[in-house]
Amino acid sequence: MKKPAFVSIAFVAFMLLLPLILTTYGIKLTSEVLIMAIFVMSLGLIIGYAGLVSLGHAAFFGLGAYAVTLIGEHVENSYVLLLAAALIAGIAAFVSGLLFIRSSGPYFLMITLAFGQMIYAIFYKAQSVTGGADGKSVSAAFSLGFGPIESRLGFYYVTAVCFLLCYFLLRIFIVSPLGKGIRGIKENEARMTALGYNTRYYKLIVYSLSGMMAGFAGGLYAYFNEYVSPDLLNWMFSGQALIMVIVGGVGTLIGPAIGAGFFVILQNYISSYTDRWPIVMGLIFVAIVLYRRGGVIHIALLLWNKINLKRRKDRHPTNLHKEANGHESAEG
């Protein structure tokens, strides 16, 4: 069996067997981590592979959450509600992307920030519909056609399957011709334009896909939390997602997911000991960024490579010494 296939199977098995060693609270916390991981992966997609840094991505997450909440008052089918959450967020991303993709760099960052705050203000002021600052409870029960899923374990497996599907679909997308074109645009947009690529078209596609995934994560979060508020649309939530991407590792798929887990678990752990947890978390994140700009995933890879190198030195000290000094190549 090839190594990538073995790693993927081991990863899936780990996700399915993880609840066996977790407490009830641990299962709940892990479900939240997986939902946040889907959301942060959607942001990491446009940052790491398209070079589009957004501070308004929470708008799509919040739109998905409110779609489940508001439409759920009239429709009970969870498949329809999650699909509606993804489509509404995707349409919002497509329409806004038609305007935003024309800009780049700090201009794109600021215009997405303004867009997110505009959506936040709309939902904050529409108190009769959204509940305003007080938020709104989710009345729709989560069901996949076999009765309501009320247990934390059952919901965990739903979020785990959704996370795995999103992750592997993104992997397929990244290695597809469309994904390679998007990566090429990030590396050198002028050259891709000279080769005949419509770079705005490619950016719009990946931006819309990212918005759809964020909306889907928002729909899952509405079922998980059973309550939504305008805070889900605020730029501060977008900033937290951006921090998760950077801490996890930009330019990878699993990095943002690790960053989401690192952020959520650390936040819950530190806040149980002190009310000044934002200061502690801020110091930790600054240390991570200063030590290794690639984030947690690159720090882990660096440690893994050092461990492997030490093992090789212990097993074949003579060969490694020759390779380091160039003797072996000279003899060849």
Side-chain angles (χ1 to χ4, degrees):
M1 184 181 295
K2 294 182 179 180
K3 187 175 180 180
F6 173 77
V7 173
S8 298
I9 293 173
F11 182 54
V12 173
F14 171 77
M15 295 293 297
L16 296 177
L17 297 176
L18 184 60
L20 299 178
I21 60 173
L22 294 176
T23 62
T24 303
Y25 176 74
I27 292 173
K28 177 184 176 182
L29 186 61
T30 307
S31 299
E32 183 180 0
V33 168
L34 292 175
I35 295 172
M36 288 297 110
I38 296 173
F39 171 48
V40 178
M41 279 196 304
S42 70
L43 179 59
L45 175 67
I46 60 173
I47 294 177
Y49 294 94
L52 301 173
V53 182
S54 171
L55 260 181
H57 212 63
F60 307 126
F61 184 89
L63 284 173
Y66 271 103
V68 168
T69 304
L70 299 177
I71 300 176
E73 295 178 350
H74 311 283
V75 179
E76 295 184 357
N77 192 309
S78 297
Y79 294 103
V80 173
L81 292 177
L82 289 176
L83 180 61
L87 288 178
I88 290 173
I91 292 172
F94 178 80
V95 174
S96 61
L98 288 173
L99 302 173
F100 301 165
I101 296 302
R102 299 175 182 272
S103 58
S104 60
Y107 302 102
F108 181 83
L109 180 72
M110 294 307 297
I111 199 170
T112 55
L113 172 61
F115 169 75
Q117 287 304 99
M118 181 188 70
I119 300 296
Y120 167 79
I122 292 173
F123 279 78
Y124 187 88
K125 294 295 184 180
Q127 187 170 359
S128 60
V129 179
T130 64
D134 295 330
K136 200 173 185 67
S137 60
V138 180
S139 59
F142 187 67
S143 173
L144 298 179
F146 311 101
I149 299 177
E150 299 177 349
S151 68
R152 290 297 179 187
L153 181 61
F155 193 81
Y156 165 83
Y157 279 116
V158 172
T159 56
V161 170
C162 290
F163 168 75
L164 291 172
L165 287 175
C166 290
Y167 173 73
F168 286 112
L169 285 175
L170 283 182
R171 281 185 58 177
I172 295 172
F173 175 78
I174 291 302
V175 299
S176 68
L178 180 59
K180 291 179 180 178
I182 290 169
R183 293 164 68 183
I185 291 171
K186 182 198 172 186
E187 295 297 328
N188 194 326
E189 185 172 354
R191 178 176 294 180
M192 296 296 288
T193 302
L195 291 173
Y197 287 87
N198 187 338
T199 57
R200 289 182 181 176
Y201 170 76
Y202 277 74
K203 287 182 178 180
L204 183 59
I205 289 177
V206 71
Y207 188 69
S208 301
L209 175 63
S210 175
M212 287 184 66
M213 185 171 290
F216 177 72
L220 285 175
Y221 184 80
Y223 279 120
F224 168 80
N225 201 44
E226 299 179 345
Y227 168 81
V228 296
S229 71
D231 291 339
L232 297 178
L233 301 148
N234 201 351
W235 73 269
M236 293 184 65
F237 189 45
S238 295
Q240 288 181 355
L242 183 59
I243 290 174
M244 295 179 199
V245 173
I246 296 173
V247 168
V250 180
T252 64
L253 286 180
I254 197 63
I258 293 174
F262 188 82
F263 186 96
V264 173
I265 294 173
L266 199 62
Q267 178 182 354
N268 280 269
Y269 182 77
I270 296 178
S271 62
S272 63
Y273 287 93
T274 175
D275 293 334
R276 303 182 186 277
W277 60 267
I279 298 176
V280 179
M281 291 186 66
L283 292 174
I284 293 173
F285 294 147
V286 168
I288 290 175
V289 174
L290 289 178
Y291 175 71
R292 192 70 178 177
R293 292 187 178 181
V296 174
I297 185 68
H298 290 86
I299 293 175
L301 289 174
L302 180 65
L303 294 175
W304 178 255
N305 290 334
K306 286 185 177 181
I307 292 173
N308 284 339
L309 181 61
K310 187 177 184 304
R311 289 177 178 176
R312 289 178 60 194
K313 285 181 178 180
D314 293 339
R315 293 177 181 176
H316 309 287
T318 306
N319 292 340
L320 285 176
H321 179 72
K322 288 181 178 180
E323 290 177 7
N325 290 280
H327 294 311
E328 189 170 304
S329 59
E331 291 175 0

